[in-house]
């Protein structure tokens, strides 16, 4: 768990309005899961009972909106109570991150919040040194199997080798750089 940064931050109509209507009209808080790939990977428990809208760049059976996070300004303004973005922000170039964060602010209600989870490069590099790891060594075990240091730094190698180039990491974060 200490290999990832967790940031909670308060943040002060299009073709998507129809697709979002059932979720947004349900009368309960609604979270936009950016880059979640599948609803099978459950949200943290504090979202229990919330409406869950899944946005991903790749189509999937659970994906509600097939869209790129760089285009969040095309979604209805102030529509969501929260943004959950786990292991997605590092898949964009550093100059694109402010655009995505501005999109988060666009779709959030004034009292909404964003929850970001990204690899913590400080912790990864510390683990490499303390445990004597090489880039090919397993850093931790996931549901998908072992994750190497290289996977954390550059993206999931097996997915990239299978042609899923959107899995490549194009930037990284430390606590200071994320803030």
């Amino acid at each position: 768990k200490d290999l990832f940064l967790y940031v909670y931050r308060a943040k002060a109509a299009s073709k998507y309005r129809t697709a979002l209507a059932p979720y947004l009209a349900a009368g309960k808080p609604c979270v936009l899961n950016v880059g979640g790939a599948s609803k099978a990977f459950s949200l943290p428990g504090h979202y229990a009972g919330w409406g869950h809208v899944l946005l991903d760049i790749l189509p999937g059976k659970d994906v509600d909106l097939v869209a790129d996070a760089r285009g969040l300004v095309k979604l209805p303004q102030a529509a969501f109570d929260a943004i959950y973005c786990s292991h997605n922000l590092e898949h964009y170039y550093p100059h694109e991150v402010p655009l995505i964060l501005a999109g988060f602010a666009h779709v959030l209600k004034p009292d909404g919040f964003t929850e970001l989870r990204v690899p913590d490069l400080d912790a990864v590099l510390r683990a490499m040194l303390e445990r004597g790891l090489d880039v090919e060594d397993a850093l931790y075990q996931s549901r998908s199997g072992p994750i190497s240091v290289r996977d954390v730094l550059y993206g999931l190698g097996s997915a990239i080798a299978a042609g899923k180039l959107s899995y490549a990491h194009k930037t990284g974060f430390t606590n200071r750089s994320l803030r």
Side-chain angles (χ1 to χ4, degrees), residues 147-161:
I147 301 297
S148 72
V149 172
R150 184 185 309 270
D151 290 331
V152 174
L153 294 175
Y154 299 108
L156 186 59
S158 59
I160 296 167

Side-chain angles (χ1 to χ4, degrees), residues 5 7 9 11 33-36 56 68-70 72 83-104 114-119 152-153 166-174 177-179:
L5 298 171
V7 175
R9 189 176 292 169
K11 294 284 183 188
N33 182 354
V34 176
D56 202 89
D68 189 306
R70 292 170 289 198
L72 287 171
I83 303 287
Y84 179 72
C85 183
S86 180
H87 298 282
N88 183 267
L89 205 55
E90 63 271 19
H91 296 271
Y92 294 93
Y93 291 108
H95 69 276
E96 296 171 320
V97 171
L99 175 66
I100 295 164
L101 296 178
F104 289 176
T114 296
E115 181 175 346
L116 295 172
R117 295 179 181 216
V118 295
V152 174
L153 294 175
S166 63
Y167 277 71
H169 291 180
K170 297 173 183 144
T171 193
F173 301 94
T174 61
S177 70
L178 185 59
R179 290 186 189 285

